[in-house]
Amino acid sequence: MHARCSYDYAVIRVVPRVERGEFVNVGVILSCPTRDFLEARIELDESRLRALDPMLDLAAVRAHLAPIPLICRGGAEGGPIGRLPPRERFHWLTAPRSTIIQTSAAHAGRAADPAVALERLMDTMV
């Protein structure tokens, strides 16, 4: 069994109408540098998003969310940002934005297994 490690996470949000400030949590990004772990999970609840904005372009939302896990994995598939070190990728992904795709502030936690922590956060936050 692994010792507990510290991690940082942010919740990924879709804000269909930025001027109204309403959002739906759609995923989580979790970074645990001591375990060389940076992953994102995304689950889009289209009916909840449609409740906030019936005219929302869901294909565009999916297209804007798709790069997030690729950037977390790193490498050429993640584009120029994917080539950065993992910690820099996490900070780039969680930087404040005023667009339709946003993240919460980064929060900290501790867990023996960051993958399990990511699943727990998905279950409780999304």
Side-chain angles (χ1 to χ4, degrees), residues 5-126:
C5 60
S6 296
Y7 63 83
D8 296 314
Y9 74 93
V11 178
I12 305 165
R13 302 170 170 163
V14 173
V15 187
R17 296 188 47 202
V18 176
E19 71 277 9
R20 289 176 37 176
E22 301 168 329
F23 61 86
V24 174
N25 292 342
V26 298
V28 176
I29 304 167
L30 190 140
S31 170
C32 181
T34 58
R35 300 280 170 79
D36 196 29
F37 184 94
L38 176 59
E39 285 189 24
R41 286 270 324 278
I42 296 171
E43 292 178 11
L44 200 59
D45 186 335
E46 294 179 3
S47 63
R48 290 180 68 202
L49 287 167
R50 287 270 188 231
L52 294 181
D53 185 355
M55 303 306 293
L56 181 63
D57 183 348
L58 290 171
V61 169
R62 281 190 289 279
H64 284 66
L65 289 169
I68 295 172
L70 300 176
I71 291 169
C72 286
R73 273 184 240 140
E77 193 177 32
I81 304 304
R83 293 181 184 96
L84 296 173
R87 198 68 184 153
E88 288 182 44
R89 293 194 311 264
F90 177 77
H91 288 298
W92 187 88
L93 287 166
T94 61
R97 291 173 173 79
S98 60
T99 63
I100 193 169
I101 307 297
Q102 301 180 13
T103 60
S104 70
H107 303 282
R110 290 182 54 78
D113 185 342
V116 172
L118 179 58
E119 289 304 317
R120 181 183 53 80
L121 288 166
M122 283 294 294
D123 289 343
T124 59
M125 301 291 197
V126 177

